[in-house]
Amino acid sequence: MTTTLATLRGLSVSYRREGAQTFALRDVDLDIATGGRLAIIGESGSGKSTLALALAGLLPPEASLAGTIDWPGLDHVPVAGRDIGMVFQDPGSSLNPVLTIGEQVSEGAVRHLRLGRATARQRALDLLARVRIPQPQAALAAYPHQFSGGQRQRIAIACAIAASPRLLIADEATSALDMIVQAEITELLDTLVREDGMSLVFITHDIALAAKLADRIAVFRDATLVEVGPARQVLARPSQDYTRSLIATHIDFSAPRLIDERA
Amino acid sequence: MNRAWLLARRRILSSIPVLLIVVIGTFFLLEMASGDAVDAYLVTLGGDAGLAQSLRERYGLDQSALARLWLYAGSLARLDLGFSVAFNRPILDLILERLPNTLWLMGSAIAMAFTFGTLFGIVAGARPGSAADRALSIGSLALYAVPSFWLGLVLSLVFAVQLRWFPTAGIETIASGKTGFARALDIARHLVLPVSALGFIYLALFLRMMRAGMAEVWRQDFVLAARAKGLARRRIVLRHVARNALLPLVTMLGLQAATMLGGSVVIESVFAIPGFGRLAHEAVAARDAPLLMGIIVVSAVLVIVVNLLVDLAYAWLDPRVGSGEASS
Amino acid sequence: MRRFALRFLRSPEGMVGLVLLACLVAMALLAPFVFPRDPLSIVGRPLIAPFTDASLPLGTDRLGRDVLAGLMHGARASLLVGVFAALVAVAVGTVVGTVAGFAGGLIDEALMRVVDAFQVVPAFLLALAFVSVTGPSLPVIVFAVALGAWTGPARLARAEVLSIRERDYVAAARAIGMHPAEIAFKEVLPNALPPVLALVSVIVASAVLIEAALSFLNLGDPNIVTWGSMIAEGRNVLRTAPFLSIVPGFGLVLTVLGVYLFGEGLVEAMAHRRGRQ
Ligand SMILES: Nc1ncnc2c1ncn2[C@@H]1O[C@H](COP(=O)(O)OP(=O)(O)OP(=O)(O)O)[C@@H](O)[C@H]1O
Ligand SMILES: [Mg+2]
C-alpha cells in the first residue's frame, strides 16, 4: 500500500526576464509516492530543474508559481535541507571551495538537528563513511579541490542527506561524471534510498539510468508533462510519440557512441 | 605551513630582479637632474671649486654613470643608502626615523578601510537591489571620487578648526610629556582625521568590490546548494557568499599598498605629519636626489613586503593556493 | 553601434556621467572666450566674497584673482592631463603588453619584470620624482602621470593577446605567411582593445587626481591655473575664506565622478552587447 508524499496540481512556473515571461512549467499534475522512485526525463530546457526547485521551495525571486503543491505524506510544509535533500549536477561547483568538507557536510545537520560541535563532527564522519569516502577522518579537514569529481559528488550527497530528509532530489547528479563513476554514484543513491526509506526524484537525460533506478517515469517536453507511469510501462509501451522518439534516439545514439569517442 | 613557506620563498626570489630594475631605473631617472649632490651641498653650505672637486672624488661623483651605479648598488647591498646633504644625516637614519609615523598612518587607514568597506559591502551585497544597497553604492561612488588631500582639508576645517574635536596637525602634542596610554591616546586623536582622509577612498573601493563580488558569488552553484540545505540566511550571507567574495579584496589590498603610500605624501603634507611621505616632498623641495632615490627604493621594498604578507594571508584564506587549482 | 549608443544612453550612470563630462568640456572650451584675460592676472581687491560683486560672481582670491575664471580655466588642465596621460599610458601599455604576449620567452619575462618594477613604486612618488627632475610643465606632468599608469593596460593587453594568440584566425594569418609583428598589430591588437578601454576611465580619473595632488604640492605647471593649485592657494586663508579651497575641490569631485560614471555606463553597455552575442 503506497501513500502519497506530494501531490502537484495545475502547477505552472514562469520566469520573468527583461519584461518577457517564459513558462518553464505549464499546468503539471503529478504525484510523488512515499518511498517511491520517480525519474524525470526530458530534453534540455523542458523544465526539469524548475520542477526540482519548485518542490524544494527554492525558486528564484524572478519566478512566479501558480497551482498547488500539497504534502499529504508530511504533517507540515517541508523545509529544504530538513525534509528535502538536493544533489546538483556539477560536483565541481556545488561545494564551497573555501570551507572544509567537515563544515559543509555537518552544517545542515547542525541547523536542523541542533547538534553540538562534537556530535556534528561525529555525524559528518558517519555520513562520509556512508558515502564511502576513503579516510573520512582526514577528509573532515580537507577542502573540495582535494577530491576527485566522483568523490565530490559523494560528499555533495552526504551534505544532502545530513539531516535525514524524507525526499532526495537528484538533479542530473551523474551527468557530469564519466561512465564508471556514474554507475558507482547511481548504486550509492540506490543503497542510501533503500536503507533510509527515502523517496527519490531522479532527474536525468539518460533513459537507461531512469530504467535502472526508477519505479515510475515522468516525461517532460516544452514545460509540459507528456506522460507519466510505471517505468516498465513507459519504456515498453509508451503512449506518446514523443516518448517513443526519445527512447528511439537513445538507442540510436548509445550504440555507435562508444566507437565515436575512441576515434 | 609548508605551503606558505614555499610561496614566500618564490615571491622573495622573484622580487630580486624587480628591485634591481627599480634601482637602475631610479638611478638613471635622477641622473637626468641637472647638478649633483655636491652642487646642492655647495648651495646650502658654501665652498669653492676646489672643495667641490675633492668632494666629488671622495663620493666617486667624478666617475662615469655606470661606475657610480655600481658603487650605489654596492652600498645598497650593505644597507647604506648614502648621505643626505639637505638634512646633513645618513639617509637610512632619516628614513627609519620617519617610517613609523607613516606605517601607523597607512596601517590604520587600511584597517579602517578594510573593516568598514567589507562590513558595508556585506550589508549592500546581502540583498542586491535593496534600498540599503542602492544608498551604499551611490554613497561609495561619490566618496570614491573625492581627492584625499581636499577631503583632508575639509575634514580639518570642520572637525579641527570649527568643532575643535581633533587637532589640526602633527602626530602628537609636542613636548606634552605624555607617556604610555595617554601618549597612545594623544597619537590616536591626531591620527583620526588623516586616517579618514587617506582611507575613505579605499573604504569606498572595498565596499564596491565586496558588493560586486557578492553579486557574483550569489550566482554560484554552491550558494544554491547552501540554500538547499536550509541554512539560515545569515550563515549563507556570511559563511558562503561573503567568505568567497572576500578573496579578491585581499588581493586588492596588496595592489593598493603602493597607491596608498603615494597618497600619504599629500596627506602628511596636509596634516604636517613628519612621516616618510612628507620626507619625499621635502627631498623634492630641497632637490636632494640621493634622498629621493633612497625613498623610492625603500618604498618599493615596503610595497614588496606588504604584497608578500598579503599573499600569505591569501594563501591562508584560500585553500586552493599552491595546489595547482588556484582560482585566477 | 546604434543599439550600443541607445543602451548607453538608457543607463542612468552613463547618462549622468555624460552630462557631467559635457559640462566640463563646455567649461574648458568656453573658458578662453568668456575669460580672455590670463586667469592668473589680478582683477580686483583681494578676497572679495562670492556673490557680492556682479562682475566677479565668485569673488577673488588672496591675490585678487578671479575665482570663476580660475575655475573655468582649471577645467582645461584637468581634462588635458586626464585625457593625454590616459592616451599615452594606454598606447605604451598596449604596445608593451602585445609585444610581451607575442614574443613570449625571455622578452616576455623581462618586460613583465619591468612592469612589476613600475608597480611596486608608488605612482605618485614616481610622478613626484620625475617632475622634480625635469621641471614642472604640462607635457612633463602628462608623461609623469602616464609613467605610473601604463602597467595596467600592459598586463591586460598581454593577457588578452595570450588568450587570443592561439585562436583560429591567428593561425590562419600565420599560414598565409604574415609576419608575427604584422599579425600582432593588425589582428590581435584591435581585439585586445575593448577590455583595455574599459580600464581607461580608471586611468583618466587617477590622472586627474594625481595632477591635482602635484599642483597642490606646488609641483604643477606654474604658468597655468589648476584646481589643485587653487586649493593650495586657498589653504593659506582656510579659516577666513574656506570657500576658496572648497569650490575647486567640487570641480575635481564632479570630474572624477563624471569619468567613473561614464566608464561604468560604457562597460555596462558593452557587457550587454557581449551577452547578446
Ligand atoms: N532563473 C531563470 N530565469 C529565467 N529563465 C529561466 C531561469 N531558469 C530557467 N529558465 C528557463 O526555464 C526553462 C526551463 O529551465 P530548466 O532549467 O528547468 O530546464 P531543464 O529541463 O532543467 O534543462 P537542462 O536539462 O538543460 O538542465 C528554460 O527555458 C530556461 O531558459
Ligand atoms: Mg536542469
Side-chain angles (χ1 to χ4, degrees), chain B:
Chain B
M1 230 50 264
N2 194 22
R3 210 161 50 107
W5 166 238
L6 282 176
L7 186 81
R9 205 182 55 184
R10 206 178 58 222
R11 274 308 206 136
I12 291 171
L13 284 180
S14 75
S15 60
I16 290 174
V18 173
L19 208 53
L20 219 59
I21 296 174
V22 169
V23 170
I24 296 172
T26 318
F27 185 84
F28 284 109
L29 172 65
L30 297 179
E31 207 38 35
M32 288 159 56
S34 54
D36 55 24
V38 171
D39 289 324
Y41 180 81
L42 294 182
V43 167
T44 32
L45 300 172
D48 57 13
L51 176 64
Q53 184 58 33
S54 66
L55 276 175
R56 289 210 165 88
E57 268 168 34
R58 195 164 125 216
Y59 291 111
L61 289 176
D62 52 345
Q63 298 175 30
S64 73
L66 273 179
R68 271 179 295 125
L69 174 60
W70 184 245
L71 270 178
Y72 185 75
S75 56
L76 266 191
R78 277 177 275 115
L79 291 182
D80 174 11
L81 292 179
F83 194 81
S84 162
V85 176
F87 288 87
N88 197 23
R89 287 182 60 188
I91 291 174
L92 188 63
D93 290 2
L94 207 51
I95 288 178
L96 287 183
E97 178 187 294
R98 298 291 195 95
L99 209 48
N101 286 344
T102 300
L103 291 182
W104 275 113
L105 174 65
M106 273 180 61
S108 322
I110 288 184
M112 185 275 292
F114 195 78
T115 312
F116 290 106
T118 43
L119 279 181
F120 287 129
I122 291 173
V123 171
R127 289 182 193 274
S130 65
D133 178 26
R134 271 153 207 264
L136 282 169
S137 45
I138 292 174
S140 65
L141 187 67
L143 195 58
Y144 193 41
V146 177
S148 60
F149 64 91
W150 182 73
L151 182 62
L153 283 184
V154 173
L155 288 178
S156 81
L157 184 67
V158 174
F159 295 103
V161 175
Q162 252 141 35
L163 295 175
R164 292 174 183 278
W165 288 356
F166 301 104
T168 45
I171 184 82
E172 60 182 315
T173 312
I174 295 163
S176 65
K178 285 180 178 155
T179 50
F181 184 69
R183 180 167 177 237
L185 203 67
D186 184 45
I187 293 179
R189 261 170 51 82
H190 278 82
L191 275 179
V192 169
L193 293 182
V195 162
S196 310
L198 183 61
F200 273 179
I201 195 169
Y202 299 96
L203 190 161
L205 177 72
F206 290 136
L207 194 165
R208 297 182 69 73
M209 277 194 72
M210 191 69 193
R211 176 181 169 270
M214 284 181 73
E216 193 89 348
V217 178
W218 273 114
R219 288 196 284 272
Q220 305 262 325
D221 284 356
F222 63 78
V223 176
L224 179 60
R227 292 210 299 133
K229 287 177 188 171
L231 303 179
R233 188 173 172 87
R234 196 187 163 80
R235 185 175 173 88
I236 296 177
V237 168
L238 295 180
R239 204 75 186 129
H240 288 273
V241 181
R243 177 67 172 74
N244 276 278
L246 200 63
L247 294 174
L249 255 76
V250 174
T251 312
M252 187 45 91
L253 212 57
L255 292 178
Q256 294 299 332
T259 327
M260 207 175 220
L261 195 52
S264 71
V265 177
V266 212
I267 290 300
E268 287 176 5
S269 293
V270 169
F271 289 97
I273 294 174
F276 181 72
R278 180 119 176 272
L279 189 62
H281 190 201
E282 287 164 357
V284 168
R287 310 202 137 271
D288 191 337
L291 178 56
L292 195 53
M293 168 108 201
I295 288 171
I296 291 179
V297 172
V298 170
S299 64
V301 172
L302 205 62
V303 171
I304 288 174
V305 169
V306 171
N307 272 293
L308 179 67
L309 294 179
V310 165
D311 279 354
L312 291 178
Y314 192 95
W316 177 65
L317 281 172
D318 189 342
R320 287 164 297 182
V321 172
S323 69
E325 209 194 309
S327 63
S328 52

Side-chain angles (χ1 to χ4, degrees), chain A residues 15-17 22-24 42-51 60 62 89 171-172 203 205:
Chain A
Y15 292 103
R16 178 172 292 282
R17 187 157 48 188
T22 52
F23 276 88
E43 61 197 11
S44 188
S46 55
K48 306 185 296 292
S49 297
T50 304
L51 181 74
E62 66 265 27
Q89 175 171 357
D171 187 353
E172 308 200 30
I203 297 174
H205 281 127

Side-chain angles (χ1 to χ4, degrees), chain A residues 76-125:
Chain A
H76 54 267
V77 179
V79 173
R82 188 183 65 195
D83 304 298
I84 303 175
M86 286 192 81
V87 185
F88 298 96
Q89 175 171 357
D90 184 2
S93 61
S94 59
L95 293 172
N96 188 331
V98 299
L99 298 186
T100 60
I101 299 303
E103 177 171 354
Q104 296 193 62
V105 170
S106 62
E107 63 184 347
V110 169
R111 163 99 176 142
H112 299 297
L113 310 180
R114 301 182 194 286
L115 302 183
R117 233 181 125 83
T119 30
R121 193 186 144 84
Q122 189 54 47
R123 173 97 190 154
L125 207 59

